[in-house]
Amino acid sequence: MMFGMLFALAAAQSAGGVVVEDTPQIGIATRHARCIVRQVGIAPAAAAARAAKVAEATKGCREFTEGDFTQGRVMLGDRPVNARWWGRMRGTLDAIEADIATAIVQPKQYKIIWELPDGSRVDAYNAPEPLKSVKLLTVPL
């Protein structure tokens, strides 16, 4: 039983992507991920240059996203989110950044797509219905 759970966990981690299960976090997470891949553009061929480009894009996009929170522009309904909620969001942002850094391995341009709960994949924001959960995937164009 324990072996089966470990195997399932390993398979999920090797598949790539980040699951976002909180509806308000889906938009923030998607915008952050898209910001990073847009800033990277076409990834450099050299591994060191590619890593530096991803790190630079990640830093700039994270500063922008954190600035939105600091300035009170991240809202739940009509109220700014509290620090505790944002702390959970930071964990999601960290996971997205790590996943993108791992996914960008070729000198190509990348984009963010959603894997829906039923396993189908669509362009971000192109889901047929309101969602409570998506998996963000970084894929080459």
Side-chain angles (χ1 to χ4, degrees):
M1 177 99 167
M2 183 65 143
F3 178 73
M5 288 179 13
L6 290 173
F7 181 77
L9 179 62
Q13 289 176 342
S14 67
V18 176
V19 176
V20 183
E21 294 183 340
D22 186 6
T23 301
Q25 288 186 355
I26 292 172
I28 296 166
T30 302
R31 281 190 301 277
H32 183 61
R34 290 174 89 179
C35 175
I36 295 169
V37 296
R38 285 180 179 154
Q39 291 295 317
V40 169
I42 298 174
R50 192 169 49 246
K53 183 90 173 191
V54 171
E56 178 185 335
T58 299
K59 182 178 183 279
C61 292
R62 185 61 171 258
E63 287 172 356
F64 181 78
T65 303
E66 290 286 344
D68 279 348
F69 167 69
T70 303
Q71 295 173 15
R73 292 192 299 243
V74 179
M75 310 286 276
L76 281 177
D78 61 347
R79 295 183 179 191
V81 299
N82 61 39
R84 184 171 158 212
W85 188 92
W86 190 250
R88 289 191 303 270
M89 186 71 225
R90 281 186 178 124
T92 301
L93 296 176
D94 291 343
I96 289 167
E97 293 165 1
D99 184 67
I100 290 172
T102 302
I104 296 180
V105 295
Q106 299 175 357
K108 294 184 175 187
Q109 188 169 359
Y110 291 79
K111 72 176 189 173
I112 302 298
I113 64 172
W114 285 349
E115 184 175 282
L116 304 178
D118 67 3
S120 63
R121 294 180 175 185
V122 298
D123 284 333
Y125 299 111
N126 197 22
E129 59 195 48
L131 299 170
K132 295 184 186 211
S133 167
V134 297
K135 185 176 193 179
L136 298 181
L137 300 171
T138 306
V139 297
L141 291 177

